[in-house]
């Protein structure tokens, strides 16, 4: 969003751990739409023949994307302003100024830069996207399942739905 939103402090965000290619907080890759809805306590909206996803107005600040045929969890994107704080090896990944994570990202083996300029680490299933918030961009990580990891940084040929690349 281009207009400024209040950025929740870490003290007011749930804290989740990320296990690369396995889970983000209480969400495990491979869970069904119904299991994800139960875990998050919110309904899921379908989008016709496209992957199911959370309504953009999710109060938790989490968008979930599902494998088309299996309808199992394949990606979790966390809103920079209001989503849970996700930690990996004690590094806070959500809602940060990109420069705060530059050194950390550059030190990880396998860094790739996608067509949109976002950093990604396919072997971990991470795309470190940015979400505009007024005059600042803040980190909006997208965590993916093994099925989407190899091409996760590629907005052209990868599996992350166009909606994710287009909206934020």
């Amino acid at each position: 969003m281009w207009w400024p939103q209040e950025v929740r402090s870490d003290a007011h965000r749930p804290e989740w751990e990320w296990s690369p290619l396995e889970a983000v907080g209480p969400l495990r890759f491979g869970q069904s739409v119904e299991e994800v809805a139960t875990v998050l306590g919110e309904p899921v909206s379908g989008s016709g023949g496209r992957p199911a996803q959370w309504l953009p107005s999710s109060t938790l600040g989490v968008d979930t994307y599902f494998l088309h045929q299996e309808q199992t969890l394949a990606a979790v994107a966390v809103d920079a302003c209001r989503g849970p704080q996700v930690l990996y090896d004690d590094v806070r990944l959500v809602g940060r100024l990109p420069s705060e994570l530059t050194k950390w990202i550059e030190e990880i083996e396998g860094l790739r830069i996608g067509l949109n300029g976002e950093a990604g680490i396919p072997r971990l299933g991470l795309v470190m996207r940015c979400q505009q918030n007024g005059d600042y961009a803040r980190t909006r990580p997208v965590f993916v399942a093994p099925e989407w990891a190899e091409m996760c940084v590629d907005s052209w040929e990868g599996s992350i739905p166009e909606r994710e690349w287009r909206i934020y």
Side-chain angles (χ1 to χ4, degrees):
M1 311 237 170
W2 292 98
W3 56 92
Q5 295 182 49
E6 180 183 347
V7 178
R8 287 184 187 160
S9 71
D10 285 345
H12 292 98
R13 296 177 187 249
E15 195 169 279
W16 289 1
E17 291 288 328
W18 169 49
S19 299
L21 305 173
E22 293 178 18
V24 182
L27 300 172
R28 299 198 61 76
F29 294 119
Q31 286 179 314
S32 70
V33 173
E34 294 78 20
E35 289 170 323
V36 170
T38 299
V39 167
L40 295 181
E42 293 186 344
V44 174
S45 69
S47 52
R50 298 183 187 160
Q53 63 193 31
W54 287 108
L55 291 169
S57 62
S58 167
T59 57
L60 190 55
V62 174
D63 288 314
T64 55
Y65 299 102
F66 297 81
L67 292 173
H68 179 66
Q69 296 296 330
E70 298 86 350
Q71 288 294 288
T72 56
L73 185 63
V76 176
V78 181
D79 187 272
C81 299
R82 58 192 173 89
Q85 183 53 263
V86 180
L87 288 94
Y88 177 67
D89 288 340
D90 295 324
V91 175
R92 297 178 179 281
L93 302 176
V94 179
R96 309 274 303 273
L97 295 174
S99 60
E100 295 174 344
L101 291 175
T102 299
K103 185 175 188 223
W104 176 79
I105 287 173
E106 288 175 345
E107 291 176 354
I108 297 175
E109 184 179 328
L111 172 67
R112 290 194 353 216
I113 304 297
L115 298 172
N116 294 343
E118 280 118 347
I121 300 107
R123 71 177 185 81
L124 296 178
L126 172 67
V127 180
M128 189 55 73
R129 304 211 53 245
C130 289
Q131 178 178 328
Q132 193 69 34
N133 185 40
D135 290 338
Y136 298 96
R138 297 204 175 258
T139 55
R140 174 188 171 84
V142 179
F143 307 96
V144 301
E147 295 88 345
W148 286 8
E150 184 177 336
M151 301 292 286
C152 66
V153 182
D154 191 337
S155 61
W156 183 256
E157 292 183 355
S159 297
I160 294 174
E162 181 184 340
R163 174 192 181 277
E164 180 62 34
W165 300 108
R166 190 180 65 236
I167 292 179
Y168 297 102

